[in-house]
């Protein structure tokens, strides 16, 4: 369960103060396939990054599985991101120097990658249709393939929460559909909560949880 | 993570290569520069290990070339109990060999009495004979000479050939090879011939080599010899050692100072000898007696004086010869402080004294080299900082992604630290190797002019130092990258 309690986020852009979130509150049920939708600049991505502890709210509280993120120490935040969160970014954000398997293993590089972890990464890549592209670097993969690697990276650790920021924004419709298919398959398998920020409502299913945000406030859920 | 760091470096090959080149050149330069001091130390140690006896010479004279003492004192030395043999030596500089000026490396005429030398158990030149024969009593008053392999090679000579030194023709009867830059500079022949060539009277010698009955009894014998001559005075006119004295302090010149003075003299169009009267005036007390400061500093590095020797001898040998009749009032006055030394008219040096003095010189040199190297080091550190900062700036998104995937600040710091340390290690390996090769190449190219020695310790130090530089160079960029919030990093990217 994710509880968002009256969260605000304000930041400076030059001399201007930008109020990205203005007292937003909501709950996302566990193992939900959730979408955050809304126009550009409405605060969708900001909310997503706050959920992933990549950013901190100016006020308010976010509680994930009963733990208040604001109470985390730096080490706990690192561990939360490493163990509990899987990120998928719009522009894939793979590391150019690493091949597909190594990119999937990125969260474990500092602590050392075991043979089991590597095998799991390879299996996951095979699941997303990249079994023949394990050693390929990002520049040798198509956009859709890169995003599938990103999905595999996000899901390798079987996180409690998968956060995706416009995951199909850079893909054609077929590739986008494929990415959603894998996300849904793996979510169903791992029982993770998936939160996706998107403009594109075409991938929203009847059972999905939808939050509509506008001007930093929740309009509908 | 190390493999990841390595991949990151390879992914930006040009920039990594440039940073590496800067560091490599700095480290190679450091190895090269310090190998000069190490080379001197090594040469000195090797050389003086070959000379077990004592050298008795004029106080303050940096090397025998500048020393003049009465020949008669040799007999007194020989009569001291514990002395096994004494040889009288005359050293002068050869100005022209086969018409070619001998500026660098210098060449010296070493005049010795072959009969006296026959009494020595160990004679460094005789023991280093490579071909032909050494001088014996039949060579007395002859023009027979023994030259070093270096000189023979330089002038393409062999045993049986002749060699023209200044205006004299010498017949080569032997070639020695002492494998020392300090020793392989001498042309050895009869002492009277050298005296005649350099207009040194029979009453004057440069120094005496004293071989002891018991070589391990050096310290006691040094004191015995000193006691024997204590209270005696050198005859007037011992000018050449004074040329090596500093104008203001009476101490021997620092090589750098000497060099700068030479340049100054050249620029102002004044020769060094122009300064002599002034120099003399400063050395005297108002009462006209020698100031205590004018006592030659025997602890001053001999290498200093070699530099001075080059100047002194290059302007001519006049101050070294017995020519009281040409000595003007200035010159005569210049000689007084040394000639009236109330304590000791001689200095007795052991091999370890020489070695100590050379080591002091190499310590000065090392300081100079450290300063020079520091400049290169600062530049290379700035190069690494610049490289890593550019690398960090370009990789904001990457750090954001890594942090989004659970990398801690420490992990990011380590990654950048590894990258810069890898640059440091690589620079150290390449720089040390390059520096080492350079020393081998230089030694092979100019075997009789310079001896560089890059010791294993120096190479290891260079490697560790370079690694340290790499780590230090990467610290600030790493800290900068690590403290960024993931969102900030992604947004900046």
């Amino acid at each position: 369960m994710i509880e968002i309690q009256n969260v605000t986020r304000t930041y400076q852009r030059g001399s201007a103060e930008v109020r990205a979130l203005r007292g937003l509150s909501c709950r996302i049920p566990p193992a939900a396939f959730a979408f955050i939708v809304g126009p550009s600049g409405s605060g969708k991505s900001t909310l997503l990054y706050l959920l992933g502890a990549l950013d901190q709210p100016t006020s308010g509280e976010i509680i994930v599985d009963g733990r208040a993120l604001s109470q985390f120490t730096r080490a706990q935040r690192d561990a939360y991101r490493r163990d509990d969160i899987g990120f998928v970014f719009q522009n894939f954000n793979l590391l150019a120097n690493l091949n597909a398997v190594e990119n999937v293993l990125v969260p474990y590089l500092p602590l050392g990658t075991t043979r089991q972890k590597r095998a799991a990464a390879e299996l996951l890549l095979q699941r997303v249709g990249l079994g023949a592209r394990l050693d390929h670097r990002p520049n040798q993969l198509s956009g859709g393939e890169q995003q599938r690697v990103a999905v595999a990276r996000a899901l390798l650790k079987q996180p409690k929460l998968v956060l995706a920021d416009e995951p199909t924004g850079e893909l054609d419709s077929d590739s986008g559909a494929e990415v959603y298919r894998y996300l849904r398959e793996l979510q169903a398998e791992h029982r993770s909560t998936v939160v996706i920020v998107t403009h594109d409502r075409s991938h929203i299913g009847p059972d999905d949880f939808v939050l509509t945000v506008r001007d930093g406030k929740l309009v509908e859920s | 993570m190390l493999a990841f760091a390595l991949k990151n470096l390879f992914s930006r090959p040009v920039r990594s290569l440039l940073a590496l080149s800067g560091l490599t050149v700095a480290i190679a330069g450091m190895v090269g520069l310090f190998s000069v001091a190490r080379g001197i130390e090594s040469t000195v140690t090797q050389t003086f290990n070959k000379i077990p006896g004592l050298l008795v010479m004029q106080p303050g004279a940096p090397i025998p070339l500048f020393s003049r003492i009465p020949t008669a004192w040799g007999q007194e030395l020989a009569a001291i109990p514990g002395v096994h043999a004494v040889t009288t030596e005359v050293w002068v500089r050869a100005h022209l060999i086969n018409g070619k000026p001998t500026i660098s490396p210098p060449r010296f005429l070493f005049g010795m009495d072959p009969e006296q030398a026959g009494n020595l158990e160990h004679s460094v030149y005789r023991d280093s004979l490579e071909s032909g024969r050494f001088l014996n009593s039949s060579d007395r008053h002859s023009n027979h000479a023994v030259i070093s392999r270096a000189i023979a090679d330089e002038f393409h000579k062999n045993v049986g050939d002749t060699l023209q030194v200044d205006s004299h023709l010498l017949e080569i009867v032997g070639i020695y090879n002492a494998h020392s830059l300090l020793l392989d500079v001498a042309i050895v022949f009869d002492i009277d011939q050298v005296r005649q060539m350099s207009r040194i009277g029979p009453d004057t010698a440069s120094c005496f080599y004293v071989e002891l009955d018991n070589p391990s009894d050096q310290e006691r014998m040094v004191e015995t010899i000193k006691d024997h001559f204590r209270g005696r005075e050198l005859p007037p006119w011992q000018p050449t050692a004074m040329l090596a004295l500093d104008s203001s302090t009476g101490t021997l010149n620092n090589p750098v100072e000497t060099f700068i003075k030479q340049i100054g003299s050249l620029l102002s169009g004044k020769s060094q000898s122009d300064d002599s009267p002034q120099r003399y005036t400063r050395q005297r007390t108002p009462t006209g007696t020698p100031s205590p400061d004018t006592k030659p500093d025997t602890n001053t590095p001999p290498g200093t004086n070699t530099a001075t020797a080059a100047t002194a001898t290059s302007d001519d040998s006049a101050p070294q010869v017995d020519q009281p009749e040409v000595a003007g009032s200035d010159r005569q006055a210049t000689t007084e402080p040394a000639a009236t030394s109330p304590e000791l008219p001689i200095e007795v040096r052991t091999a370890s004294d020489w070695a100590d003095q050379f080591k002091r010189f190499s310590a000065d040199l090392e300081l100079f080299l450290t300063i020079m190297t520091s400049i290169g080091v600062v530049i290379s550190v700035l190069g690494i900082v610049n490289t890593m900062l550019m690398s960090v700036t370009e990789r904001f998104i990457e750090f954001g992604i890594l942090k989004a995937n659970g990398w801690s600040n420490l992990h990011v710091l380590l990654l950048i630290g590894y990258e810069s340390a890898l640059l440091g290690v690589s620079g150290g390996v390449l720089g040390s190797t390059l520096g080492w090769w350079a020393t081998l190449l230089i030694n092979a190219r100019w075997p009789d002019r310079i001896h560089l020695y890059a010791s294993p310790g120096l190479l290891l130090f260079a490697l560790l130092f370079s690694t340290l530089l790499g780590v230090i160079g990467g610290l600030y960029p790493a800290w900068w990258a690590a403290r960024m919030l993931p969102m900030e990093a992604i947004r900046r990217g």
Side-chain angles (χ1 to χ4, degrees):
Chain A
M1 169 71 78
I2 300 169
E3 284 185 62
I4 301 161
Q5 299 174 345
N6 199 25
V7 165
T8 65
R9 179 68 175 103
T10 306
Y11 54 87
Q12 290 293 127
R13 184 175 289 160
S15 57
E17 188 179 73
V18 178
R19 297 173 69 193
L21 294 176
R22 308 177 185 201
L24 192 147
S25 298
C26 69
R27 287 183 178 186
I28 300 172
F33 203 89
F35 286 89
I36 302 174
V37 294
S40 291
S42 59
K44 306 183 299 289
S45 294
T46 302
L47 179 59
L48 192 80
Y49 293 135
L50 290 175
L51 290 175
L54 291 184
D55 200 2
Q56 290 171 315
T58 309
S59 66
E61 187 63 87
I62 295 171
I63 300 168
V64 178
D65 289 342
R67 295 183 298 166
L69 300 190
S70 65
Q71 303 301 312
F72 279 1
T73 62
R74 185 180 286 174
Q76 284 172 321
R77 259 203 307 278
D78 291 338
Y80 170 71
R81 285 198 296 262
R82 185 179 62 241
D83 301 330
D84 297 340
I85 304 290
F87 273 103
V88 180
F89 296 94
Q90 179 178 358
N91 45 3
F92 328 131
N93 281 342
L94 299 181
L95 300 177
N97 308 326
L98 304 181
N99 63 28
V101 178
E102 289 164 341
N103 262 294
V104 174
L105 288 167
V106 154
Y108 299 100
L109 285 181
L111 306 173
T113 53
T114 61
R115 216 174 262 176
Q116 288 84 351
K117 284 269 184 263
R118 192 175 179 86
E122 289 176 3
L123 189 65
L124 207 49
L125 284 169
Q126 283 164 3
R127 288 282 306 278
V128 296
L130 294 173
R133 321 278 276 175
L134 300 179
D135 295 328
H136 285 61
R137 293 201 173 188
N139 61 0
Q140 297 167 310
L141 300 171
S142 69
E145 287 171 331
Q146 287 187 56
Q147 196 60 302
R148 278 184 273 159
V149 173
V151 169
R153 180 176 67 188
L155 295 174
L156 177 67
K157 52 191 146 185
Q158 301 187 4
K160 291 176 186 165
L161 182 59
V162 176
L163 303 172
D165 187 5
E166 302 277 8
T168 58
E170 302 265 319
L171 304 178
D172 58 55
S173 54
D174 287 345
S175 299
E178 209 167 14
V179 166
Y180 270 107
R181 184 163 62 84
Y182 289 122
L183 271 173
R184 286 184 185 281
E185 265 182 34
L186 296 166
Q187 185 266 342
E189 203 171 299
H190 298 142
R191 302 299 298 157
S192 306
T193 301
V194 176
V195 180
I196 299 168
V197 164
T198 186
H199 282 103
D200 183 1
R201 289 172 175 264
S202 65
H203 298 291
I204 301 175
D207 298 331
D208 294 338
F209 188 86
V210 180
L211 296 168
T212 306
V213 180
R214 183 171 295 146
D215 296 331
K217 291 179 182 171
L218 186 67
V219 176
E220 183 188 345
S221 71
Chain B
M1 202 196 297
L2 197 62
F4 185 29
L6 198 60
K7 282 181 179 177
N8 285 338
L9 289 176
F10 276 113
S11 70
R12 296 163 182 85
V14 175
R15 190 186 310 139
S16 299
L17 205 64
L18 285 175
L20 190 61
S21 304
L23 192 59
T24 300
V25 169
I27 295 298
M30 187 183 86
V31 169
L33 288 174
F34 279 104
S35 68
V36 176
R38 296 284 175 277
I40 290 172
E41 209 172 294
S42 155
T43 302
V44 166
T45 307
Q46 285 173 16
T47 300
F48 292 115
N49 280 344
K50 296 176 181 177
I51 306 172
L54 307 175
L55 209 62
V56 176
M57 52 198 280
Q58 180 181 343
I63 53 175
L65 182 73
F66 299 102
S67 167
R68 293 293 178 263
I69 52 177
T71 307
W73 288 2
Q75 290 172 349
E76 293 184 43
L77 281 167
I80 294 174
V83 171
H84 175 258
V86 174
T87 56
T88 310
E89 299 182 355
V90 170
W91 287 85
V92 293
R93 176 152 184 167
H95 299 292
L96 292 169
I97 296 181
N98 278 6
K100 184 179 162 189
T102 59
I103 296 165
S104 178
R107 302 300 183 202
F108 299 106
L109 306 180
F110 170 30
M112 57 173 287
D113 182 340
E115 285 174 23
Q116 284 182 340
N119 297 328
L120 294 175
E121 282 188 18
H122 299 286
S123 165
V124 65
Y125 291 121
R126 188 183 65 203
D127 299 347
S128 307
L129 198 67
E130 195 178 84
S131 62
R133 62 174 179 81
F134 199 68
L135 303 180
N136 55 40
S137 53
S138 68
D139 298 308
R140 196 80 173 94
H141 307 298
S142 76
N143 65 344
H144 293 167
V146 178
I147 65 171
S148 68
R149 169 54 58 200
I151 297 172
D153 289 346
E154 184 181 352
F155 295 96
H156 310 291
K157 297 291 179 186
N158 253 315
V159 174
D161 293 342
T162 55
L163 189 72
Q164 187 171 9
V165 178
D166 296 336
S167 57
H168 293 71
L169 211 57
L170 302 177
E171 184 185 336
I172 301 165
V173 296
I175 294 173
Y176 69 87
N177 193 350
H179 299 285
S180 165
L181 285 177
L182 301 178
L183 294 173
D184 290 340
V185 290
I187 298 168
V188 187
F189 61 107
D190 178 64
I191 190 167
D192 289 334
Q193 293 291 313
V194 176
R195 281 196 172 108
Q196 193 183 339
M197 281 174 67
S198 53
R199 291 162 289 167
I200 293 177
D203 297 337
T204 302
S206 296
C207 60
F208 301 105
Y209 180 72
V210 179
E211 191 172 76
L212 303 177
D213 286 333
N214 179 7
S216 61
D217 202 19
Q218 276 191 352
E219 280 186 28
R220 191 184 63 79
M221 286 305 294
V222 166
E223 290 309 313
T224 304
I225 293 170
K226 280 181 179 175
D227 287 344
H228 180 86
F229 288 96
R230 200 176 298 280
R232 305 265 284 275
E233 286 187 2
L234 279 174
W237 181 233
Q238 305 294 333
T240 50
M242 295 310 298
L243 286 177
L245 291 177
D246 180 80
S247 56
S248 55
T249 63
T251 57
L252 295 169
N253 288 331
N254 180 292
V256 178
E257 191 186 346
T258 305
F259 179 64
I260 290 167
K261 281 182 180 173
Q262 287 170 16
I263 292 174
S265 299
L266 280 173
L267 290 175
S268 64
K270 287 167 68 181
S271 71
Q272 283 227 318
S273 58
D274 292 340
D275 297 334
S276 298
Q278 241 185 335
R279 186 178 298 177
Y280 160 65
T281 307
R282 288 197 205 120
Q283 285 168 354
R284 294 174 63 89
T285 62
T287 59
T289 55
S291 151
D293 289 339
T294 60
K295 187 176 176 181
D297 179 6
T298 54
N299 291 330
T300 306
T304 318
N305 308 309
T306 309
T308 312
T311 26
T313 53
S314 63
D315 40 17
D316 63 2
S317 60
Q320 305 160 26
V321 300
D322 263 351
Q323 289 179 312
E325 68 280 6
V326 295
S329 58
D330 287 346
R331 182 174 279 183
Q332 181 67 36
T334 308
T335 67
E336 281 182 20
T340 56
S341 171
E343 283 294 318
L344 279 171
I346 54 148
E347 185 176 334
V348 186
R349 287 195 196 161
T350 63
S352 65
D353 290 337
W354 287 104
D356 286 347
Q357 292 193 9
F358 270 97
K359 276 176 187 168
R360 281 194 200 100
F361 166 67
S362 70
D364 286 350
L365 185 65
E366 209 155 316
L367 176 68
F368 176 70
L369 298 177
T370 303
I371 293 167
M372 299 299 289
T373 303
S374 301
I375 296 168
V377 163
V378 167
I379 291 169
S380 61
V381 167
L382 289 177
I384 291 180
V385 171
N386 184 45
T387 299
M388 297 313 296
L389 269 179
M390 285 182 69
S391 170
V392 165
T393 310
E394 273 185 4
R395 293 157 66 193
F396 279 140
I397 291 182
E398 182 180 319
F399 298 127
I401 296 164
L402 293 175
K403 286 193 161 189
N405 280 283
W407 282 48
S408 65
N409 288 352
L410 178 67
H411 293 145
V412 173
L413 199 118
L414 278 176
L415 175 68
I416 300 170
Y418 276 136
E419 289 175 19
S420 57
L422 279 170
L423 277 178
V425 171
S426 311
V429 170
L430 289 174
S432 298
T433 309
L434 192 67
W436 179 58
W437 281 347
T439 59
L440 296 181
L441 195 71
I442 289 167
N443 285 342
R445 177 69 183 82
W446 295 285
D448 57 341
R449 291 195 180 188
I450 192 164
H451 174 64
L452 305 178
Y453 178 53
S455 66
L458 175 62
L459 295 175
L460 184 68
F461 171 76
L463 179 63
L464 296 177
F465 187 62
S466 176
T467 308
L468 185 70
L469 286 186
V471 172
I472 290 171
L475 275 182
Y476 173 67
W479 172 78
W480 191 38
R483 63 193 259 275
M484 269 189 295
L485 285 171
M487 265 317 296
E488 189 190 350
I490 291 171
R491 276 198 186 122
R492 280 206 196 186

